[in-house]
């Protein structure tokens, strides 16, 4: 790629230099000039191209790595990740927002949107009675048109009257819930376990049946309580969990 592709930071702007470099690298990846799996130039070269110090560059690269856009491999260099969704300490966001944060174009294919009844797991999560009506939304989740997972959300029907009358769901579920019902997520609890891709899901995920997958259960709440219970089956090769561990007592290091 040409050196003109590297937008040097404008030191007159109020944004920090590292932030401008970070955004410039995001733009390069989003444009496709650096494709998935590509090795990006070495730090010395990037410092020269962006006209910034190594400290500034490393700050930007660290943020991009933590957001899942880049991967550093010891002794080899830094590479553009595949469409990998990284779970860990993060804000309560929708799938669409999470994918956007790592420079990946989110997509969905609606597999089912119907009225059904709550099974014991959904009833417990949504704090309703078994067999109470729930809206079931099953979607194939895509990143840059590649399958990442299958999410099945259940909403207590009493919280979303007339949801099915509004037509097929398009775009973000959370945006639709806020727009139509004033439901704004404030908290979510997630549980992760390792599972296997079922025969029914294998073709959709473009994997052999029995392939390892992450099974993620999420209960999402607004100010009134739980309104969504989602079970996601995520491809093991495109989903990653990270945790930041902190000491339980103040550090004694001087």
């Amino acid at each position: 790629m040409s050196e003109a592709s590297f937008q040097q930071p404008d030191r007159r702007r109020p944004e920090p230099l590292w932030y401008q470099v970070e955004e410039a690298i995001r733009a390069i990846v989003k444009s496709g000039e650096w494709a998935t799996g590509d090795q990006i130039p070495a730090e010395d070269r990037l410092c020269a191209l962006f006209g910034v110090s190594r400290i500034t560059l490393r700050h930007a690269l660290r943020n991009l790595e933590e957001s899942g856009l880049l991967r550093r491999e010891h002794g080899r260099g830094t590479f553009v990740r595949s469409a990998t969704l990284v779970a860990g300490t993060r804000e309560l966001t929708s799938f669409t927002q999470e994918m956007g944060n790592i420079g990946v174009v989110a997509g969905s294919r609606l597999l089912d949107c119907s009225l059904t009844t709550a099974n014991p797991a959904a009833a417990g999560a949504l704090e309703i009675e078994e067999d109470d009506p729930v809206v079931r939304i099953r979607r194939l989740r895509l990143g840059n048109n590649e399958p990442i997972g299958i999410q099945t959300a259940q909403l207590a029907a009493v919280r979303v009257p007339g949801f099915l009358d509004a037509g097929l769901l398009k775009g973000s579920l959370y945006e639709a819930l806020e727009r139509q019902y004033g439901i704004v997520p404030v908290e979510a609890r997630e549980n992760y376990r390792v599972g296997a891709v079922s025969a029914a899901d294998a073709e959709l995920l473009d994997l052999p049946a029995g392939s390892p997958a992450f099974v993620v259960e999420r209960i999402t709440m607004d100010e009134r309580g739980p309104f969504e219970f989602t079970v996601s089956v995520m491809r093991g090769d495109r989903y990653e969990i990270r945790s930041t561990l902190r000491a339980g007592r103040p550090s004694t290091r001087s």
Side-chain angles (χ1 to χ4, degrees):
M1 63 187 297
S2 69
E3 295 189 7
S5 300
F6 294 86
Q7 182 69 43
Q8 293 203 350
D10 184 344
R11 297 177 186 275
R12 296 168 298 179
R13 288 172 50 184
E15 297 91 346
L17 296 181
W18 59 262
Y19 176 81
Q20 295 185 53
V21 173
E22 181 180 331
E23 290 301 297
I25 293 176
R26 285 186 189 278
I28 293 171
V29 174
K30 191 171 184 178
S31 72
E33 290 189 77
W34 288 349
T36 297
D38 280 356
Q39 183 175 12
I40 71 173
E43 287 186 358
D44 287 348
R45 179 65 175 154
L46 288 175
C47 287
L49 290 167
F50 284 116
V52 296
S53 68
R54 189 181 294 271
I55 291 175
T56 297
L57 178 72
R58 285 182 171 175
H59 193 150
L61 293 179
R62 182 173 63 250
N63 288 350
L64 292 166
E65 184 185 16
E66 290 177 350
S67 70
L69 190 66
L70 300 178
R71 176 193 295 276
R72 293 199 212 196
E73 297 185 12
H74 183 67
R76 296 191 61 218
T78 304
F79 299 81
V80 179
R81 280 181 179 273
S82 60
T84 301
L85 185 61
V86 179
T89 303
R90 63 191 198 277
E91 296 178 353
L92 174 54
T93 57
S94 68
F95 175 86
T96 304
Q97 291 171 309
E98 288 186 80
M99 297 303 285
N101 289 342
I102 60 174
V104 172
V105 178
S108 287
R109 187 195 309 168
L110 185 63
L111 304 173
D112 178 47
C113 187
S114 59
L115 191 66
T116 183
T117 55
N119 61 21
L126 296 171
E127 299 180 2
I128 59 178
E129 299 295 329
E130 283 188 42
D131 297 327
D132 276 359
V134 293
V135 174
R136 180 175 182 266
I137 304 166
R138 180 172 159 82
R139 291 176 290 177
L140 174 65
R141 298 305 224 164
L142 306 169
N144 290 343
N145 288 321
E146 296 290 336
I148 289 183
I150 297 173
Q151 292 185 322
T152 304
Q154 296 182 70
L155 310 170
V158 69
R159 297 290 310 272
V160 291
F163 185 90
L164 298 179
D165 299 331
L168 294 177
L169 175 65
K170 296 179 180 177
S172 167
L173 172 61
Y174 287 175
E175 289 179 4
L177 292 176
E178 181 175 1
R179 184 173 59 251
Q180 295 178 39
Y181 304 102
I183 294 176
V184 178
V186 296
E187 184 180 335
R189 295 196 299 268
E190 289 188 337
N191 291 324
Y192 302 84
R193 57 186 166 84
V194 176
V197 175
S198 68
D201 292 340
E203 184 174 354
L204 289 168
L205 293 175
D206 195 21
L207 287 173
S211 296
F214 283 111
V215 179
V216 187
E217 293 183 353
R218 174 190 276 202
I219 301 172
T220 312
M221 292 150 277
D222 69 352
E223 292 182 344
R224 293 175 55 187
F227 65 88
E228 177 199 38
F229 174 56
T230 299
V231 178
S232 304
V233 178
M234 310 300 287
R235 283 183 56 140
D237 58 341
R238 293 179 179 167
Y239 196 75
E240 184 174 305
I241 300 172
R242 293 184 193 176
S243 297
T244 300
L245 308 181
R246 302 188 190 285
R249 58 184 181 182
S251 173
T252 57
R253 293 172 58 188
S254 60

Coordinates of all heavy atoms in Angstrom, one line a residue, residues 155-218:
L155 N -38.0 -13.0 24.8 CA -38.5 -11.8 25.5 C -39.9 -12.2 26.1 O -40.7 -12.8 25.5 CB -38.7 -10.7 24.5 CG -37.5 -10.4 23.5 CD1 -38.0 -9.4 22.5 CD2 -36.4 -9.8 24.3
A156 N -40.0 -11.8 27.3 CA -41.3 -11.9 28.0 C -42.4 -11.1 27.2 O -42.3 -9.9 27.0 CB -41.3 -11.4 29.4
A157 N -43.4 -11.8 26.7 CA -44.4 -11.2 25.8 C -45.1 -10.0 26.4 O -45.4 -9.1 25.8 CB -45.4 -12.2 25.3
V158 N -45.2 -10.1 27.8 CA -45.9 -9.1 28.5 C -45.2 -7.8 28.4 O -45.8 -6.7 28.5 CB -46.2 -9.5 29.9 CG1 -44.9 -9.6 30.7 CG2 -47.2 -8.6 30.6
R159 N -43.8 -7.8 28.2 CA -43.0 -6.6 28.1 C -43.0 -6.0 26.7 O -42.6 -4.9 26.5 CB -41.6 -6.9 28.5 CG -41.4 -7.4 30.0 CD -41.6 -6.2 31.0 NE -40.9 -5.0 30.6 CZ -39.6 -4.7 31.0 NH1 -39.0 -5.6 31.8 NH2 -39.1 -3.6 30.7
V160 N -43.4 -6.8 25.7 CA -43.3 -6.3 24.3 C -44.6 -6.6 23.6 O -44.6 -7.3 22.5 CB -42.1 -7.0 23.6 CG1 -40.8 -6.5 24.2 CG2 -42.1 -8.5 23.7
P161 N -45.7 -6.1 24.0 CA -47.0 -6.4 23.4 C -47.0 -5.9 21.9 O -46.5 -4.8 21.6 CB -48.0 -5.6 24.2 CG -47.2 -4.5 24.9 CD -45.8 -5.1 25.1
G162 N -47.4 -6.7 21.0 CA -47.5 -6.3 19.6 C -46.2 -6.4 18.9 O -46.1 -5.9 17.7
F163 N -45.2 -7.0 19.5 CA -43.9 -7.1 18.8 C -43.9 -7.7 17.5 O -43.3 -7.2 16.5 CB -42.9 -7.8 19.7 CG -41.5 -7.8 19.2 CD1 -40.6 -6.8 19.6 CD2 -41.0 -8.8 18.4 CE1 -39.3 -6.8 19.2 CE2 -39.7 -8.8 17.9 CZ -38.8 -7.8 18.3
L164 N -44.6 -8.8 17.3 CA -44.7 -9.5 16.1 C -45.5 -8.7 15.0 O -45.4 -9.0 13.8 CB -45.3 -10.9 16.3 CG -44.5 -11.8 17.2 CD1 -45.2 -13.2 17.4 CD2 -43.1 -12.0 16.7
D165 N -46.3 -7.8 15.5 CA -47.2 -7.1 14.5 C -46.4 -5.9 13.8 O -46.8 -5.4 12.9 CB -48.3 -6.4 15.3 CG -49.2 -7.4 15.9 OD1 -49.3 -8.6 15.4 OD2 -49.9 -7.1 16.9
A166 N -45.1 -5.7 14.3 CA -44.3 -4.6 13.8 C -43.6 -5.0 12.6 O -42.8 -4.2 12.0 CB -43.4 -4.1 14.9
G167 N -43.7 -6.3 12.1 CA -43.0 -6.7 11.0 C -41.7 -7.4 11.4 O -41.3 -7.5 12.6
L168 N -41.0 -7.9 10.4 CA -39.7 -8.7 10.7 C -38.7 -7.7 11.3 O -38.6 -6.6 10.9 CB -39.2 -9.3 9.4 CG -40.0 -10.4 8.7 CD1 -39.4 -10.8 7.4 CD2 -40.2 -11.6 9.7
L169 N -38.0 -8.3 12.3 CA -36.9 -7.5 12.9 C -35.8 -7.2 11.9 O -35.3 -8.1 11.3 CB -36.4 -8.3 14.1 CG -35.2 -7.7 14.9 CD1 -35.6 -6.3 15.5 CD2 -34.6 -8.6 15.9
K170 N -35.4 -6.0 11.9 CA -34.3 -5.5 11.0 C -33.3 -4.7 11.9 O -33.8 -3.9 12.7 CB -34.8 -4.7 9.9 CG -35.6 -5.5 8.9 CD -36.1 -4.6 7.7 CE -37.0 -5.4 6.8 NZ -37.5 -4.5 5.7
G171 N -32.0 -5.0 11.8 CA -31.1 -4.3 12.6 C -31.0 -4.7 14.0 O -31.3 -5.9 14.4
S172 N -30.6 -3.8 14.9 CA -30.4 -4.1 16.3 C -31.7 -4.4 17.1 O -32.6 -3.6 17.0 CB -29.6 -3.0 17.0 OG -29.6 -3.1 18.4
L173 N -31.7 -5.5 17.8 CA -32.9 -5.7 18.7 C -33.0 -4.7 19.8 O -34.1 -4.2 20.1 CB -32.7 -7.1 19.3 CG -33.8 -7.5 20.4 CD1 -35.2 -7.5 19.8 CD2 -33.4 -8.9 21.0
Y174 N -31.8 -4.3 20.4 CA -31.9 -3.3 21.5 C -32.4 -2.0 21.0 O -33.1 -1.3 21.7 CB -30.5 -3.2 22.1 CG -30.1 -4.4 23.0 CD1 -28.8 -4.4 23.5 CD2 -30.9 -5.4 23.2 CE1 -28.4 -5.5 24.3 CE2 -30.6 -6.5 24.0 CZ -29.3 -6.5 24.5 OH -28.9 -7.6 25.3
E175 N -32.0 -1.6 19.8 CA -32.5 -0.3 19.3 C -34.0 -0.4 19.0 O -34.7 0.5 19.3 CB -31.8 0.0 17.9 CG -30.3 0.4 18.1 CD -29.6 0.7 16.8 OE1 -30.3 0.6 15.8 OE2 -28.4 0.9 16.9
A176 N -34.5 -1.6 18.6 CA -35.9 -1.7 18.3 C -36.7 -1.7 19.7 O -37.8 -1.1 19.8 CB -36.2 -3.0 17.6
L177 N -36.1 -2.3 20.7 CA -36.8 -2.4 22.0 C -36.9 -1.0 22.6 O -37.9 -0.6 23.2 CB -36.1 -3.3 22.9 CG -36.2 -4.8 22.6 CD1 -35.3 -5.6 23.5 CD2 -37.6 -5.3 22.6
E178 N -35.8 -0.2 22.5 CA -35.8 1.1 23.0 C -36.8 2.0 22.2 O -37.6 2.8 22.8 CB -34.4 1.8 23.0 CG -34.4 3.2 23.5 CD -33.0 3.8 23.6 OE1 -32.0 3.1 23.2 OE2 -32.8 4.9 24.1
R179 N -36.8 1.9 20.9 CA -37.7 2.7 20.1 C -39.1 2.4 20.3 O -40.0 3.3 20.4 CB -37.3 2.5 18.6 CG -38.0 3.3 17.6 CD -37.5 3.2 16.2 NE -37.6 1.8 15.7 CZ -36.5 1.0 15.6 NH1 -35.3 1.4 15.8 NH2 -36.7 -0.2 15.1
Q180 N -39.5 1.1 20.4 CA -40.9 0.7 20.5 C -41.4 0.7 21.9 O -42.6 0.9 22.2 CB -41.1 -0.6 19.9 CG -40.8 -0.6 18.4 CD -41.0 -2.0 17.8 OE1 -41.9 -2.8 18.1 NE2 -40.1 -2.4 16.8
Y181 N -40.6 0.3 22.9 CA -41.1 0.1 24.3 C -40.3 0.8 25.4 O -40.6 0.7 26.5 CB -41.0 -1.4 24.6 CG -41.7 -2.3 23.6 CD1 -41.0 -2.9 22.6 CD2 -43.1 -2.4 23.6 CE1 -41.7 -3.7 21.6 CE2 -43.8 -3.1 22.6 CZ -43.1 -3.8 21.6 OH -43.7 -4.5 20.7
G182 N -39.3 1.6 25.0 CA -38.6 2.4 26.0 C -37.7 1.5 26.8 O -37.3 1.9 27.9
I183 N -37.4 0.3 26.4 CA -36.6 -0.7 27.1 C -35.1 -0.4 26.8 O -34.7 -0.5 25.7 CB -36.9 -2.1 26.8 CG1 -38.3 -2.5 27.2 CG2 -35.9 -3.1 27.4 CD1 -38.8 -3.9 26.8
V184 N -34.4 0.0 27.9 CA -32.9 0.3 27.8 C -32.1 -0.6 28.7 O -32.3 -0.6 29.9 CB -32.7 1.8 28.1 CG1 -31.2 2.1 28.0 CG2 -33.5 2.7 27.2
P185 N -31.3 -1.5 28.1 CA -30.5 -2.4 29.0 C -29.6 -1.6 29.9 O -29.0 -0.6 29.6 CB -29.7 -3.2 28.0 CG -30.3 -3.0 26.7 CD -31.0 -1.6 26.7
V186 N -29.6 -2.1 31.2 CA -28.7 -1.4 32.2 C -27.7 -2.4 32.8 O -26.7 -2.0 33.3 CB -29.5 -0.8 33.3 CG1 -30.3 0.4 32.8 CG2 -30.4 -1.8 34.1
E187 N -28.0 -3.7 32.6 CA -27.1 -4.7 33.2 C -27.4 -6.0 32.6 O -28.5 -6.3 32.1 CB -27.4 -4.8 34.7 CG -26.5 -5.8 35.5 CD -26.8 -5.8 37.0 OE1 -27.3 -4.8 37.5 OE2 -26.5 -6.8 37.6
A188 N -26.3 -6.9 32.5 CA -26.5 -8.2 32.0 C -25.6 -9.2 32.7 O -24.5 -8.8 33.2 CB -26.2 -8.3 30.5
R189 N -26.1 -10.4 32.9 CA -25.2 -11.5 33.4 C -25.0 -12.5 32.4 O -26.0 -12.9 31.7 CB -25.9 -12.1 34.7 CG -26.1 -11.2 35.8 CD -26.4 -12.0 37.1 NE -27.7 -12.7 36.9 CZ -28.9 -12.2 37.3 NH1 -29.0 -11.0 37.8 NH2 -29.9 -13.0 37.1
E190 N -23.8 -13.0 32.2 CA -23.5 -14.0 31.2 C -22.8 -15.2 31.8 O -21.9 -15.0 32.7 CB -22.6 -13.4 30.1 CG -23.3 -12.4 29.2 CD -22.4 -11.9 28.0 OE1 -21.2 -12.1 28.1 OE2 -23.0 -11.5 27.0
N191 N -23.1 -16.3 31.4 CA -22.5 -17.6 31.7 C -21.9 -18.2 30.5 O -22.6 -18.2 29.4 CB -23.5 -18.6 32.4 CG -23.9 -18.1 33.7 OD1 -23.1 -17.5 34.5 ND2 -25.2 -18.3 34.1
Y192 N -20.7 -18.7 30.6 CA -20.0 -19.4 29.4 C -19.8 -20.8 29.7 O -19.4 -21.2 30.8 CB -18.7 -18.7 29.1 CG -18.8 -17.2 28.9 CD1 -18.8 -16.3 29.9 CD2 -18.8 -16.7 27.6 CE1 -18.9 -14.9 29.6 CE2 -18.9 -15.4 27.3 CZ -18.9 -14.5 28.3 OH -19.0 -13.1 28.1
R193 N -19.9 -21.7 28.7 CA -19.5 -23.0 28.8 C -19.1 -23.5 27.5 O -19.5 -22.9 26.4 CB -20.6 -23.9 29.4 CG -21.9 -23.9 28.7 CD -23.0 -24.7 29.5 NE -24.3 -24.4 29.0 CZ -24.9 -25.0 28.0 NH1 -24.2 -25.9 27.3 NH2 -26.1 -24.7 27.6
V194 N -18.4 -24.6 27.4 CA -18.0 -25.2 26.2 C -19.0 -26.2 25.8 O -19.5 -27.0 26.6 CB -16.6 -25.8 26.3 CG1 -16.2 -26.5 25.0 CG2 -15.6 -24.8 26.7
G195 N -19.4 -26.2 24.5 CA -20.3 -27.2 24.0 C -19.9 -27.7 22.6 O -18.8 -27.4 22.2
A196 N -20.8 -28.3 21.9 CA -20.5 -28.8 20.6 C -21.6 -28.3 19.7 O -22.8 -28.2 20.1 CB -20.4 -30.3 20.6
V197 N -21.3 -28.1 18.4 CA -22.2 -27.7 17.4 C -23.1 -28.8 17.1 O -22.7 -29.9 16.7 CB -21.5 -27.1 16.2 CG1 -22.5 -26.8 15.1 CG2 -20.6 -25.9 16.5
S198 N -24.4 -28.6 17.2 CA -25.4 -29.7 16.9 C -25.5 -29.8 15.4 O -25.1 -29.0 14.6 CB -26.8 -29.3 17.4 OG -27.3 -28.2 16.7
A199 N -26.1 -31.0 15.0 CA -26.2 -31.3 13.6 C -27.1 -30.2 12.9 O -26.9 -29.8 11.8 CB -26.8 -32.7 13.4
A200 N -28.1 -29.7 13.7 CA -29.1 -28.7 13.1 C -28.4 -27.4 12.9 O -28.8 -26.7 12.0 CB -30.2 -28.5 14.1
D201 N -27.4 -27.0 13.7 CA -26.7 -25.7 13.5 C -25.5 -25.8 12.6 O -24.9 -24.8 12.2 CB -26.2 -25.2 14.9 CG -27.4 -24.9 15.8 OD1 -28.5 -24.6 15.2 OD2 -27.2 -24.8 17.0
A202 N -24.9 -27.0 12.4 CA -23.7 -27.2 11.7 C -23.6 -26.5 10.3 O -22.7 -25.8 10.0 CB -23.3 -28.6 11.6
E203 N -24.7 -26.7 9.6 CA -24.7 -26.2 8.2 C -24.7 -24.7 8.2 O -24.0 -24.0 7.5 CB -25.8 -26.7 7.4 CG -25.8 -26.3 6.0 CD -26.9 -26.9 5.1 OE1 -27.6 -27.8 5.7 OE2 -27.1 -26.6 4.0
L204 N -25.5 -24.1 9.2 CA -25.6 -22.7 9.3 C -24.2 -22.0 9.6 O -23.9 -21.0 9.2 CB -26.6 -22.3 10.3 CG -28.1 -22.5 9.9 CD1 -29.0 -22.4 11.1 CD2 -28.5 -21.5 8.8
L205 N -23.5 -22.7 10.5 CA -22.2 -22.2 11.0 C -21.1 -22.6 10.1 O -19.9 -22.2 10.4 CB -22.0 -22.6 12.4 CG -22.9 -22.1 13.5 CD1 -22.6 -22.7 14.9 CD2 -22.8 -20.6 13.6
D206 N -21.4 -23.4 9.1 CA -20.3 -23.8 8.2 C -19.2 -24.6 8.9 O -18.0 -24.4 8.7 CB -19.7 -22.6 7.4 CG -18.9 -23.1 6.2 OD1 -19.2 -24.2 5.7 OD2 -18.1 -22.3 5.7
L207 N -19.7 -25.5 9.8 CA -18.7 -26.3 10.5 C -19.3 -27.8 10.5 O -20.5 -28.0 10.4 CB -18.7 -25.9 12.0 CG -17.9 -24.6 12.3 CD1 -18.2 -24.2 13.8 CD2 -16.5 -24.7 12.0
P208 N -18.4 -28.7 10.8 CA -18.9 -30.1 10.9 C -19.6 -30.2 12.3 O -19.3 -29.6 13.2 CB -17.6 -30.9 11.0 CG -16.5 -30.1 10.4 CD -16.9 -28.7 10.7
A209 N -20.7 -31.0 12.3 CA -21.4 -31.3 13.5 C -20.4 -31.8 14.6 O -19.5 -32.6 14.3 CB -22.5 -32.3 13.3
G210 N -20.6 -31.4 15.8 CA -19.7 -31.8 16.9 C -18.5 -30.9 17.1 O -17.7 -31.1 18.0
S211 N -18.3 -29.9 16.2 CA -17.2 -29.0 16.4 C -17.4 -28.2 17.7 O -18.5 -27.9 18.2 CB -17.1 -28.0 15.3 OG -16.9 -28.6 14.0
P212 N -16.2 -27.9 18.4 CA -16.4 -27.1 19.7 C -16.9 -25.7 19.5 O -16.7 -25.1 18.5 CB -14.9 -27.1 20.2 CG -14.1 -27.3 18.9 CD -14.8 -28.1 18.0
A213 N -17.7 -25.3 20.4 CA -18.3 -24.0 20.4 C -18.5 -23.5 21.8 O -18.4 -24.2 22.8 CB -19.7 -24.1 19.7
F214 N -18.6 -22.1 21.9 CA -18.9 -21.5 23.2 C -20.4 -21.4 23.2 O -21.1 -21.0 22.3 CB -18.3 -20.1 23.3 CG -16.8 -20.1 23.6 CD1 -15.9 -19.7 22.7 CD2 -16.4 -20.5 24.9 CE1 -14.6 -19.7 23.0 CE2 -15.1 -20.5 25.2 CZ -14.1 -20.1 24.3
V215 N -21.0 -21.8 24.4 CA -22.4 -21.6 24.6 C -22.5 -20.5 25.7 O -22.0 -20.6 26.8 CB -23.1 -22.8 25.1 CG1 -24.6 -22.6 25.4 CG2 -22.9 -24.0 24.1
V216 N -23.1 -19.4 25.3 CA -23.2 -18.2 26.1 C -24.7 -17.9 26.5 O -25.5 -17.8 25.6 CB -22.6 -16.9 25.4 CG1 -22.5 -15.8 26.4 CG2 -21.2 -17.3 24.8
E217 N -24.9 -17.9 27.8 CA -26.3 -17.5 28.2 C -26.3 -16.1 28.8 O -25.4 -15.8 29.7 CB -26.8 -18.5 29.3 CG -27.0 -19.9 28.7 CD -27.6 -20.9 29.7 OE1 -27.7 -20.5 30.9 OE2 -27.9 -22.0 29.4
R218 N -27.2 -15.3 28.4 CA -27.2 -13.9 28.9 C -28.6 -13.6 29.4 O -29.6 -13.8 28.7 CB -26.8 -12.9 27.8 CG -27.0 -11.5 28.2 CD -26.8 -10.5 27.1 NE -25.4 -10.1 26.8 CZ -25.0 -9.0 26.2 NH1 -25.9 -8.1 25.8 NH2 -23.8 -8.8 25.9

